[in-house]
């Protein structure tokens, strides 16, 4: 009944998935973005594309980088037909989204993003613009390649994606990203300490005291950026009195 | 004025990337300040502002009971205010201008978060009531128009916010530069060190866990060793 999707169809789906966050809303979260992506292939998957879209017009929420994996698997499941489905597709999507959201958040927010940003800060401290450009190019290449791979992987595996992403292999990749981010974070702290040390001992003491105070504030859940705004006139006033 | 318009257009594009697109990181202050500084003709000081703002917002996740600041807006307003002042006044004290730019960026980010809340409510009303039309062709068209419209809305909101806030930021930077004496200048430098410390604290807190702390220490030791050998 239905023809297999061509690589060009998957590319169209992927291009639309890049803007999945545009229509993020509280009621359905990423549902409109996902429907928009499915719409690019719906006519090839079903004789009734509208019925296919209506089936998926429900709540959808996961890490944006994991959306292509789930959408890829949905495309495969729809292509194979729902008659032999082991569980309702809505339940499958919910399970896949939950599993991938946790992994995706830890990988991106806890690993790759801090890694890129701390390396960028170190490059910027040394006014190394080429380093900044290289970081942004590498990060985006990895991001886009990861999303393209995710869509192909999901389309190849169909129902099997949840098992693939809850195994130890994925956890090892996430841990490696966290380790690299921690290493880069340590390097950033040392670079800042060295530069402050080169300025004066007073600045080293100020950096240490401010780090301690900021650490306590972050631990207590306070908005440190707002505290910094309030501190500006105070610090300037103290300095004017001292000088 | 042409610089201001160009920066506002860049802000709109970066906002689409950051909140509607694939989040390329170009909207982060450390990268956006490089672009803004290049456009305004004062890349180095703009980048200094970007670094400090990035460090201030490096703590992962929003603080308890508060809204996340609008970091994209803050980064662009802070860097642009600094770069535009220094590009036209070479006698200005860089440290004071950079500190005032960082302050302008922090304030703009907080105000931007409030503005986003208002536009976010309108957006929710629009997207929250989305229904699929009963015809395939109409459904395809409505989906495409909704995505394009939502992305454009994000860009236009930030374009307008930047257009409004940069002149205020620039005025604030000029005011501080004119009013802060020698003591005030020293205070601005101290404040910059204190704000940068937020980033250090955030990194130590994020990676100071039992498993990761050794890698944090290894990274620091590697930099210190390379510095000592050189």
């Amino acid at each position: 009944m239905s023809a297999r999707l061509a690589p060009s169809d998957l590319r169209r789906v992927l291009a639309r998935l890049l803007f999945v966050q545009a229509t993020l809303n509280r009621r359905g979260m990423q549902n409109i973005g996902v429907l928009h992506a499915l719409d690019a292939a719906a006519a090839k998957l079903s004789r009734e594309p509208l019925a296919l879209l209506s089936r998926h017009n429900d709540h959808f929420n996961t890490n944006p980088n994991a959306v292509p994996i789930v959408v890829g698997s949905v495309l495969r499941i729809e292509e194979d037909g729902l008659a032999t489905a082991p569980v309702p597709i809505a339940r499958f999507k919910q399970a896949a989204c939950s599993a991938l959201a946790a992994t995706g958040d830890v990988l991106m927010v806890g690993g790759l993003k801090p890694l890129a940003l701390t390396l960028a800060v170190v490059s910027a401290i040394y006014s190394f613009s080429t380093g900044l450009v290289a970081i942004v190019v590498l990060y985006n290449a990895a991001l886009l390649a990861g999303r393209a791979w995710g869509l192909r992987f999901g389309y190849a595996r169909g129902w099997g994606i949840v098992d693939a992403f809850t195994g130890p292999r994925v956890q090892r990749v996430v841990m490696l990203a966290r380790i690299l981010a921690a290493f880069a974070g340590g390097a950033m702290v040392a670079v800042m300490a060295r530069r402050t040390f080169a300025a004066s001992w007073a600045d080293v003491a100020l950096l240490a005291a401010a780090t301690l105070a900021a650490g306590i504030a972050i631990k207590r859940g306070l908005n440190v950026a707002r505290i910094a705004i309030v501190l500006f006139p105070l610090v300037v006033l103290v300095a004017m009195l001292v000088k | 004025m042409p610089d201001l318009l160009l920066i506002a257009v860049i802000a709109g594009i970066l906002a689409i990337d950051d909140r509607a697109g694939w989040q390329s990181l170009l909207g982060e202050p450390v990268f956006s300040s490089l672009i803004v500084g290049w456009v305004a003709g004062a890349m180095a000081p703009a980048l200094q502002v970007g670094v400090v703002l990035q460090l201030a917002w490096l703590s992962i996740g929003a603080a308890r009971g508060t809204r996340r600041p609008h970091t994209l807006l803050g980064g662009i307003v802070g860097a642009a205010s600094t770069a535009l002042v220094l590009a036209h006044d070479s006698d200005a004290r860089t440290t004071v201008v950079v500190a005032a730019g960082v302050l302008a960026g922090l304030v703009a980010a907080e105000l931007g978060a409030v503005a986003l809340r208002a536009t976010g409510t309108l957006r929710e009303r629009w997207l929250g009531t989305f229904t699929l039309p009963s015809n395939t062709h109409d459904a395809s068209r409505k989906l495409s128009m909704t995505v394009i419209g939502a992305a454009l809305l994000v860009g236009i909101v930030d374009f307008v916010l930047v257009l409004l806030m940069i002149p205020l930021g620039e005025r604030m930077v000029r005011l501080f530069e004119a009013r802060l004496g020698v003591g005030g200048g020293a205070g601005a430098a101290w404040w910059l060190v204190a704000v940068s410390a937020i980033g250090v604290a955030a990194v130590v807190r994020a990676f100071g866990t039992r498993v990761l702390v050794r890698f944090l220490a290894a990274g620091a030791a590697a930099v210190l060793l390379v510095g000592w050998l050189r």
Side-chain angles (χ1 to χ4, degrees), chain A residues 22 27 39 140 220-221 226 228, chain B residues 24 64 110 123 128 140 191:
Chain A
R27 205 188 73 173
D39 179 51
N140 282 289
R220 293 193 171 188
R226 269 188 211 167
Chain B
S24 72
R64 199 164 47 218
E110 295 297 336
R123 202 168 158 269
S140 292
W191 183 74

Side-chain angles (χ1 to χ4, degrees), chain A residues 211-230:
Chain A
T211 302
L212 193 68
I216 293 168
I218 292 171
K219 195 175 175 185
R220 293 193 171 188
L222 299 173
N223 187 329
V224 271
R226 269 188 211 167
I227 296 173
I229 296 172
V230 178

